[in-house]
Structure formats: C-alpha cells, structure tokens
Amino acid sequence: HNLEMKHLPGADPELVLLSHRYEELERIPLSDMTREEINQLVQELGFYRKETPDAPVPEEFQFAPAKPLPILLHPQAPSTDGKTPPKCDKEEHPDL
C-alpha cells in the first residue's frame, strides 16, 4: 500500500521516498540488495503489505509509512477565561 513501482530501462534501481507533497525525501539504492532484503527494507520503513491486491487496508495504515507532520508552533493566546491553553508535546497532535 502506498508503494508504486516504475521500471525505467537502463536506470539503476532505487527506492525514492516522497513526502505527502511529492517532495523527494530520500533515495535508497537497491542494486546490491536481494529481493528478500528489499522486502525487509520496505517492511522496516512501515509500508503495509496487503494480502491480495484488492484487499482493504486497515485505517491505521491508510497513510503509512508517512511520519507525523511537524506541528507548527504558534504563540499561545489566552483563552476566554484568561488562562493560557496547555502546550502540546512536539510529537503529540491534539486531534489524535
């Protein structure tokens, strides 16, 4: 799931990881890896392997292997009762 294979004749095989905005994050050369090593790498990166091509993907893997987006920190504004809302941990999203 969320993995697309493109065969480019004459090009060395590589895994290109993209952001949710399709910006290149990393290129991993695959030339010296066996099929088993590539399968293990993809699994370690967090890609979900469906049992069959048309099998449903569990909700928790819909965006896998995407990492959580960094939360933009805005200056804390006082709430209506005059108290400043609690700060969220960098890796904690208040809506999740």
Side-chain angles (χ1 to χ4, degrees):
H1 179 69
N2 289 339
L3 182 79
E4 183 178 329
M5 164 88 175
K6 290 185 181 179
H7 179 73
L8 303 175
D12 288 334
E14 58 187 356
L15 177 63
V16 181
L17 301 175
L18 304 174
S19 72
H20 69 286
R21 293 185 180 137
Y22 297 97
E23 298 164 331
E24 185 176 313
L25 299 174
E26 185 178 357
R27 285 181 179 258
I28 302 170
L30 303 175
S31 297
D32 297 331
M33 298 176 76
T34 65
R35 180 184 191 111
E36 290 79 21
E37 290 170 327
I38 293 169
N39 285 336
Q40 182 178 354
L41 171 66
V42 170
Q43 185 176 15
E44 288 171 0
L45 289 170
F47 286 91
Y48 177 78
R49 184 176 183 140
K50 298 190 282 183
E51 291 185 23
T52 62
D54 59 342
V57 176
E59 188 174 333
E60 65 268 22
F61 291 104
Q62 288 295 319
F63 299 104
K67 306 290 185 251
L69 294 176
I71 297 172
L72 300 176
L73 299 177
H74 298 286
Q76 296 290 327
S79 63
T80 55
D81 63 0
K83 295 180 182 175
T84 303
K87 292 182 180 180
C88 294
D89 187 24
K90 283 183 181 179
E91 294 184 15
E92 177 185 334
H93 192 285
D95 295 334
L96 297 178

